[in-house]
Amino acid sequence: MNLSPKLLEVFTTALAVPADQITADLDYQGIPEWDSMSHMILIAELESSYAITIETDDLLEMTSVTNVVDRLKKYGIEA
Amino acid sequence: MRLYDLIQSNQNLVYIDALTDTSYSVNEFHQSITIEERQAVVFLYTDNMIGSIEVFLNFLQSRFTVTLLSPQLDIQFKLELEKAYQPYYIYDPSRTAIDGFQAYGASNRIQLFRNLSAPAYPVNPEIKLLLSTSGTTGSPKFVKLSEENLIQNARAILEFLPIEGTDVTPLNVPIIFVYGLSIFTSNCIAGGKMICTNRDILQKTFWEDFDHYGCTSIGGVPYVYEMLNRFGFFKREHLSLRYMTQTGGILNQTLVQVLAEYGTKHRQQFFVMYGQTEAAGRMAYLPPKDLFTKSTSIGIPIKNGRFEIDPDSNELIYLGANIFGGYAKSLADLTTFHRAERLHTGDVARKDEDGYYYITGRIKRIVKLFGTRMNLDEVELILKNALGGETFVCLGIEDKSLLVLHLNEELAAEAVKQVLKEKLSLHPTMIKVKFVESVPLTPNGKIDYSTAVQLID
């Protein structure tokens, strides 16, 4: 999946995995690293990197890389 | 009296598999898997899914001593523990084969592993359960608990939590932790529906289940409530919800106010609890009415329990029938069960004029990261073993992060973080690594942790 360098960095920081592991179908609880704690870090990283506030409904939908990219569009962010 | 008999006599009890929306009565799980009957240790790597619950209930009903362990435990740790304790059976859905064990279908749903050497060793019949003092460090140190410990704890909880036969309880706290186990045992005895699930509060499916089944309670460590607050949970009314419980550390005071106000507005109760594995669960709770005025307190002792404060050290000491029967560090320690009269909690506390207790510090070298207890000495040992026997000094910073001091200027912080991530699933952002020229020592040559704390920036 072609993510912007910025979004890729958000993912690698939050999930603490190498960039080549960030694939489109990677999802929450799909790897040990993507647990509830790193998910909250991911949300916090997204909010601070893009200066947005993510709504609850979107937060609960951001359960895969694809879904995150999809939901970010709502906030005017193109990955 | 066995815990299992109390569970089996609860007429309202139903286990629901949230994945398939299938209900099971407690009788459907009665002797539902094929196991021999003997005195020996079994290892159950359990999550909170229906299969784990069925296996756990079957072994509770047997004479076996049950060890509850995390399925996510590092494989090397699993193998070391299995070598040390020679379990007769292992339940671990994450593995297809285990050296020295034979896999067999214990029922059409459950696969177990049987020890090929059929080991025989003495186990004190009083020891019903072995729980790890920390869920993740792979330490062979377990807390020995009896049926009596478990029953006393569950009964004390039923004295203050408003558990009813019409309740619907989501098992969102892992039962391998004593808090999750307490939720399980007390609700199995007096509750109603148990929602067996690994889904957590960050998943939409958890909330779909929550609404679908009409869940009546929720439990969590502080960060669970921080997350709930983060996604606006307390801004809405949740009609089925009756009460919430929290343990594993002190909530931040802003959040306590949110919870107290939420409780008043929606007639829901919020219980802060204090406990330890060594007490088979709970030692104290804060009555919801005191949440506004005594928000930093752990509350008052549970029924049949009481506290003393050591006059010299101010250590909080607990007395009660739920105190454990000693630690096991090897198989040989399973021959004895000695219940101590007093439990030294390792926490420093004070008591106010109304008899409420407050934790003011910690004596033991323990840090609680996101509600998970971790022994700092064990963390140091893991680093030492993984990184060529070097010296590491680990300190907890306000239960928020872990500081690792080391003496090797060449050592990259990433290497330390990588070990802790692999072995203990610790998130790198929670770890601070710092090189120091020397480590402060006490006159008798041990690491002086009280001075080392000053090395924190």
Side-chain angles (χ1 to χ4, degrees):
Chain A
M1 185 167 216
N2 279 328
L3 300 178
S4 69
K6 187 174 175 181
L7 186 57
L8 192 61
E9 199 188 325
V10 169
F11 271 110
T12 53
T13 306
L15 307 184
V17 295
D20 58 11
Q21 275 199 42
I22 310 294
T23 57
D25 56 353
L26 187 68
D27 62 353
Y28 181 55
Q29 290 190 349
I31 49 170
E33 285 87 354
W34 198 344
D35 58 10
S36 63
M37 197 187 303
S38 55
H39 194 67
M40 287 313 284
I41 294 169
L42 174 67
I43 299 298
E45 286 281 326
L46 287 171
E47 292 188 328
S48 65
S49 298
Y50 294 103
I52 53 172
T53 305
I54 298 166
E55 288 167 25
T56 304
D57 288 348
D58 297 321
L59 192 153
L60 291 175
E61 290 286 353
M62 289 180 163
T63 49
S64 68
V65 173
T66 307
N67 287 349
V68 170
V69 171
D70 190 47
R71 289 276 147 171
L72 281 177
K73 286 181 187 147
K74 201 180 134 181
Y75 297 86
I77 296 154
E78 288 296 330
Chain B
M1 179 65 76
R2 297 183 305 169
L3 174 66
Y4 183 77
D5 300 323
L6 291 174
I7 293 174
Q8 230 213 347
S9 61
N10 179 359
Q11 299 294 323
N12 298 311
L13 187 58
V14 177
Y15 298 97
I16 295 175
D17 177 9
L19 273 187
T20 60
D21 194 24
T22 313
S23 300
Y24 301 90
S25 72
V26 66
N27 285 327
E28 283 174 85
F29 287 161
H30 182 68
Q31 297 184 349
S32 61
I33 64 174
T34 309
I35 47 172
E36 293 166 40
E37 181 67 313
R38 61 169 65 208
Q39 209 99 54
V41 173
V42 294
F43 271 18
L44 309 183
Y45 294 94
T46 47
D47 49 29
N48 283 6
M49 305 265 269
I50 196 81
S52 288
I53 301 301
E54 178 177 4
V55 170
F56 183 36
L57 286 168
N58 271 271
F59 279 105
L60 268 186
Q61 182 264 333
S62 75
R63 282 165 60 210
F64 282 100
T65 294
V66 178
T67 316
L68 294 180
L69 295 149
S70 167
Q72 275 107 39
L73 203 61
D74 183 80
I75 182 68
Q76 204 54 42
F77 289 159
K78 284 184 181 178
L79 296 173
E80 284 165 17
L81 289 173
E82 286 156 14
K83 196 175 162 209
Y85 283 92
Q86 302 174 40
Y88 198 84
Y89 289 114
I90 293 175
Y91 174 68
D92 187 356
S94 74
R95 283 184 282 179
T96 50
I98 302 175
D99 208 23
F101 287 77
Q102 184 188 23
Y104 77 102
S107 77
N108 52 19
R109 291 190 290 260
I110 305 294
Q111 176 184 269
L112 291 180
F113 295 95
R114 187 197 294 114
N115 197 322
L116 285 170
S117 68
Y121 41 81
V123 179
N124 189 306
E126 272 218 78
I127 308 171
K128 187 59 213 171
L129 194 67
L130 294 174
L131 286 185
S132 172
T133 49
S134 74
T136 50
T137 60
S139 157
K141 190 173 166 187
F142 289 97
V143 166
K144 297 188 277 189
L145 297 171
S146 66
E147 294 270 3
E148 177 71 5
N149 286 153
L150 298 168
I151 291 171
Q152 289 287 347
N153 174 64
R155 288 215 160 124
I157 289 171
L158 294 173
E159 290 288 328
F160 68 88
L161 279 189
I163 294 174
E164 295 172 0
T166 51
D167 279 348
V168 182
T169 309
L171 292 179
N172 68 311
V173 183
I175 57 165
I176 61 155
F177 298 124
V178 79
Y179 172 48
L181 184 70
S182 290
I183 294 173
F184 179 77
T185 57
S186 55
N187 280 284
C188 279
I189 293 173
K193 290 178 181 152
M194 311 285 280
I195 311 301
C196 305
T197 182
N198 273 359
R199 292 167 177 165
D200 66 42
I201 62 161
L202 286 174
Q203 285 169 294
K204 207 177 169 191
T205 43
F206 177 85
W207 297 107
E208 285 164 0
D209 291 343
F210 196 88
D211 290 338
H212 176 66
Y213 296 112
C215 290
T216 52
S217 65
I218 203 160
V221 294
Y223 105 98
V224 166
Y225 288 97
E226 284 162 22
M227 287 193 280
L228 287 175
N229 190 38
R230 164 64 186 79
F231 48 80
F233 183 82
F234 303 111
K235 291 196 179 107
R236 297 190 303 272
E237 185 171 13
H238 304 274
L239 287 172
S240 63
L241 188 66
R242 290 178 40 238
Y243 73 94
M244 295 176 271
T245 63
Q246 179 260 316
T247 192
I250 310 264
L251 282 172
N252 77 60
Q253 291 309 296
T254 327
L255 188 49
V256 172
Q257 287 308 311
V258 170
L259 287 161
E261 281 160 27
Y262 184 80
T264 313
K265 191 173 166 195
H266 300 296
R267 299 180 153 273
Q268 282 166 357
Q269 292 179 296
F270 188 80
F271 293 86
V272 173
M273 309 195 294
Y274 171 74
Q276 230 170 45
T277 311
E278 288 84 345
R282 307 297 93 201
M283 290 183 277
Y285 73 102
L286 182 68
K289 67 176 171 58
D290 299 310
L291 200 56
F292 273 111
T293 52
K294 296 184 186 294
S295 59
T296 57
S297 172
I298 56 161
I300 52 178
I302 59 169
K303 196 188 178 191
N304 298 329
R306 67 187 172 88
F307 285 128
E308 286 174 359
I309 291 177
D310 185 287
D312 297 322
S313 64
N314 288 326
E315 182 174 7
L316 186 67
I317 292 160
Y318 176 78
L319 297 90
N322 48 330
I323 295 178
F324 74 133
Y327 295 107
K329 288 177 185 160
S330 69
L331 204 48
D333 294 330
L334 297 185
T335 54
T336 56
F337 187 88
H338 295 302
R339 223 178 56 74
E341 196 188 339
R342 286 173 160 71
L343 171 62
H344 289 257
T345 63
D347 286 322
V348 179
R350 70 177 176 85
K351 178 185 178 181
D352 73 8
E353 60 279 12
D354 300 319
Y356 286 67
Y357 289 83
Y358 297 79
I359 303 296
T360 55
R362 208 170 276 159
I363 291 171
K364 288 185 186 168
R365 294 248 308 132
I366 280 178
V367 64
K368 279 185 182 166
L369 291 175
F370 289 87
T372 305
R373 173 164 122 171
M374 215 166 272
N375 183 315
L376 292 166
D377 296 331
E378 287 169 11
V379 178
E380 285 175 6
L381 194 62
I382 285 169
L383 285 170
K384 197 187 199 51
N385 290 339
L387 294 166
E390 294 188 34
T391 298
F392 292 92
V393 176
C394 293
L395 299 160
I397 307 173
E398 293 170 350
D399 280 354
K400 286 196 164 53
S401 47
L402 178 74
L403 177 70
V404 180
L405 303 175
H406 66 87
L407 301 166
N408 180 356
E409 206 167 357
E410 309 287 305
L411 183 67
E414 281 64 38
V416 173
K417 293 180 181 182
Q418 189 60 28
V419 170
L420 295 175
K421 175 176 173 268
E422 275 172 21
K423 295 287 184 189
L424 303 174
S425 307
L426 280 177
H427 198 280
T429 57
M430 293 176 0
I431 304 161
K432 292 180 172 46
V433 184
K434 193 180 170 187
F435 161 73
V436 288
E437 295 283 345
S438 64
V439 180
L441 299 175
T442 61
N444 59 8
K446 289 183 178 172
I447 292 168
D448 184 355
Y449 289 103
S450 55
T451 308
V453 171
Q454 292 163 12
L455 296 170
I456 299 175
D457 294 324

